[in-house]
């Protein structure tokens, strides 16, 4: 995109972001690049993961002198017109071409003319390939500011994408640690598993989303490895299984306390939050909540509950999608956080540790505990 002497890059918004937080940030790009490779005369195609380290783009705000109503009416964003990141200036680019000659990747009829040659050069450098070897790419705009442990007492984590990298990290670490000793699975009759999905923020209806057959296909293959002759083994395994849908939760905001139901106000440092919703926006029921809460009590871990106000819309997770699509009893949980869907989110250090300890104990003790629960879920 070229406008007013600026070189810009076309983008699409994904999910429900707090887009105003993206203004005036030092931005870069990351994702995967499809490349053409030629070795010994044989052409093949593969992909490479890339992330440009230095800031290369910015979405500048309009000066308040040119938008006097912002104080009284608030910031009004048109996603098509106002969320276009600036890559460079046309005059500087023209000067570079005069000094260096023809810029690689730029031609009157080249196959990459749909993307700006400056952008292609940056991508090619990170992918360690030539510009004309780039076939296509999937790239996302992202912040360059690193995650930090912060706060006056170093009690917070400030980071992008805590929702839902925090729960993904805690669950994977818990799975690894719960199976790492020589005898950790000696008395285990089940299969410990973590499933991570794409596209939760846009409905999960994709080949790798929770709405796809991926989960059921994985369970089918796993049970098939144990017994090829028992056609009912999968159904039995599903009935005995338990799904923890782990997605970050809304912590009480001190400046917007009226947004929370009075008796359900999850706090930072308060441990994992069990989410409840009568309209099945969360898949928790009394039995699944009890099982997860009982594990916390066994280990003296804090636990909280969340119910949305009756006069507010409720968010959702992949919990109900998987519960209804696969048939596994489910509890929806998550660590509390602030600034959800901002470019820079916030949670508590203690809650990361509580989440890891809770999920590790769940992996290790669920089978034994579940055998003692004599109710119909």
């Amino acid at each position: 995109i070229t406008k007013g002497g600026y070189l810009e890059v076309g983008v699409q918004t994904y999910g429900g972001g707090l887009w105003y937080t993206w203004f005036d940030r030092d931005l870069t790009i990351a994702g995967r690049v499809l490349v053409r490779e030629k070795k010994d005369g044989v052409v093949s195609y593969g992909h490479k993961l890339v992330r440009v380290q230095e800031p290369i783009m910015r979405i500048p705000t309009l000066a308040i002198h040119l938008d006097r109503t912002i104080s009284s009416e608030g910031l009004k964003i048109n996603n098509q017109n106002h969320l276009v990141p600036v890559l460079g200036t046309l005059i500087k680019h023209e000067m570079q071409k005069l000094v260096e000659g023809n810029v690689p990747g730029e031609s009157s009829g080249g196959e990459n003319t749909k993307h700006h040659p400056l952008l292609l050069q940056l991508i090619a450098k990170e992918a360690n390939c030539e510009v004309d070897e780039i076939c296509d790419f999937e790239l996302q705009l992202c912040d360059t500011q690193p995650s930090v442990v912060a706060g006056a007492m170093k009690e917070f984590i400030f980071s992008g994408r805590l929702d839902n990298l925090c729960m993904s990290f805690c669950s994977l670490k818990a799975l690894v640690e719960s199976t790492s000793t020589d005898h950790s699975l000696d008395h285990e009759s089940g299969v410990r598993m973590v499933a991570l999905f794409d596209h939760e923020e846009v409905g999960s209806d994709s080949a790798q989303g929770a709405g796809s057959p991926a989960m059921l296909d994985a369970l089918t293959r796993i049970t098939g490895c144990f017994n090829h002759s028992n056609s009912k083994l999968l159904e039995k395994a599903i009935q005995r299984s338990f799904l923890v849908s782990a997605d970050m939760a809304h912590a009480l905001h001190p400046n917007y306390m009226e947004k929370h139901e009075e008796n359900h106000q999850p706090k930072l440092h308060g441990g994992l939050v069990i989410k409840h919703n009568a309209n099945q926006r969360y898949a928790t029921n009394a039995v699944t909540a009890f099982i997860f809460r009982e594990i916390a009590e066994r280990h003296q871990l804090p636990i909280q509950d969340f119910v949305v106000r009756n006069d507010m819309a409720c968010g959702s997770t992949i919990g109900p999608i998987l519960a209804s699509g696969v048939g596994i009893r489910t509890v929806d949980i998550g660590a509390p956080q602030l600034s959800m869907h901002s470019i820079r989110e916030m949670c508590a250090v203690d809650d990361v540790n509580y989440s890891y300890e809770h999920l590790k104990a769940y992996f290790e003790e669920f089978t034994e505990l579940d055998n003692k629960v004599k109710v119909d879920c």
Side-chain angles (χ1 to χ4, degrees):
I1 299 174
T2 303
K3 291 188 299 185
Y6 291 94
L7 305 176
E8 298 182 305
V9 177
V11 295
Q12 275 189 303
T13 55
Y14 172 86
L18 294 176
W19 303 123
Y20 59 85
T21 65
W22 285 74
F23 285 89
D24 297 337
R25 303 289 302 193
D26 298 341
L27 304 175
T28 187
I29 51 174
R32 68 172 177 174
V33 180
L34 299 179
V35 296
R36 182 188 302 107
E37 300 172 331
K38 190 173 184 179
K39 185 176 182 181
D40 299 328
V42 178
V43 176
S44 61
Y45 303 90
H47 77 214
K48 295 183 177 182
L49 300 180
V50 299
R51 184 182 188 276
V52 178
Q53 297 300 316
E54 64 270 16
I56 60 171
M57 297 188 210
R58 183 180 173 98
I59 306 174
T61 49
L62 182 64
I64 193 170
H65 315 86
L66 304 177
D67 187 11
R68 292 292 188 179
T69 63
I70 190 171
S71 297
S72 58
E73 299 180 11
L75 178 63
K76 298 177 181 179
I77 301 171
N78 180 292
N79 290 0
Q80 176 67 21
N81 298 330
H82 302 151
L83 289 177
V84 187
V86 174
L87 177 67
T89 53
L90 186 59
I91 187 171
K92 199 71 174 179
H93 177 54
E94 294 298 327
M95 290 173 62
Q96 181 190 31
K97 286 197 295 182
L98 288 174
V99 173
E100 301 179 1
N102 186 47
V103 178
E106 184 166 18
S107 64
S108 58
E111 60 186 66
N112 280 324
T113 53
K114 65 178 181 178
H115 299 297
H116 199 282
L118 279 179
L119 182 64
L120 292 172
Q121 289 177 67
L122 293 167
I123 297 171
K125 180 181 178 181
E126 291 299 319
N128 194 27
C129 69
E130 299 297 326
V131 168
D132 59 7
E133 292 174 335
I134 297 175
C135 301
D136 212 334
F137 49 73
E138 295 174 325
L139 298 175
Q140 290 79 44
L141 216 58
C142 57
D143 196 0
T144 57
Q145 187 176 3
S147 303
V148 293
V149 174
M153 294 173 283
K154 301 298 182 184
E155 61 191 296
F156 303 128
I157 296 174
F158 300 158
S159 173
R161 306 180 301 282
L162 288 173
D163 179 28
N164 191 36
L165 291 182
C166 181
M167 290 292 90
S168 300
F169 168 77
C170 291
S171 59
L172 282 171
K173 182 174 176 61
L175 177 66
V176 171
E177 295 298 325
S178 71
T179 57
S180 59
T181 62
D182 291 338
H183 303 288
S184 57
L185 297 175
D186 284 357
H187 303 288
E188 180 62 84
S189 61
V191 175
R192 300 175 188 175
M193 173 179 172
V194 166
L196 306 175
F197 297 94
D198 287 341
H199 304 139
E200 188 266 344
E201 297 295 348
V202 291
S204 298
D205 288 331
S206 67
Q208 62 269 36
S212 75
M215 182 74 160
L216 189 58
D217 287 348
L219 297 177
T220 302
R221 291 195 301 272
I222 292 170
T223 53
C225 291
F226 289 106
N227 193 327
H228 295 282
S229 60
N230 187 350
S231 61
K232 298 297 183 181
L233 184 60
L234 174 62
E235 288 85 347
K236 293 179 180 178
I238 288 174
Q239 291 301 312
R240 296 186 61 181
S241 294
F242 191 94
L243 172 67
V244 177
S245 171
D247 195 1
M248 297 294 277
H250 298 287
L252 176 68
H253 196 304
N255 301 334
Y256 299 89
M257 294 184 64
E258 71 280 0
K259 296 295 184 179
H260 279 264
E261 206 279 329
E262 185 176 358
N263 296 317
H264 296 86
Q265 300 180 337
K267 306 290 200 309
L268 295 181
H269 313 299
L272 282 170
V273 179
I274 300 178
K275 307 173 187 179
H276 307 262
N277 185 257
N279 297 302
Q280 297 302 299
R281 299 294 288 172
Y282 304 128
T284 306
N285 63 33
V287 178
T288 59
F290 159 74
I291 290 175
F292 204 73
R293 185 179 291 107
E294 178 64 19
I295 291 172
E297 292 182 359
R298 287 184 175 193
H299 293 266
Q300 290 80 54
L301 292 169
I303 192 78
Q304 308 181 80
D305 290 280
F306 172 76
V307 176
V308 73
R309 289 173 57 103
N310 282 321
D311 55 2
M312 292 179 61
C314 183
S316 191
T317 70
I318 64 170
I321 296 173
L322 292 171
S324 61
V326 182
I328 298 178
R329 52 194 165 142
T330 302
V331 62
D332 263 298
I333 60 99
Q337 73 160 100
L338 295 171
S339 304
M340 186 179 288
H341 290 200
S342 168
I343 194 173
R344 191 90 175 154
E345 299 179 326
M346 173 181 176
C347 71
V349 171
D350 288 345
D351 290 322
V352 176
N353 186 60
Y354 290 146
S355 299
Y356 158 70
E357 294 288 351
H358 199 147
L359 291 168
K360 181 173 181 287
Y362 159 74
F363 278 125
E364 294 173 339
E365 300 178 16
F366 166 74
T367 299
E368 176 264 330
L369 175 60
D370 192 44
N371 287 332
K372 298 178 180 177
V373 179
K374 306 300 182 183
V375 297
D376 183 1
C377 287

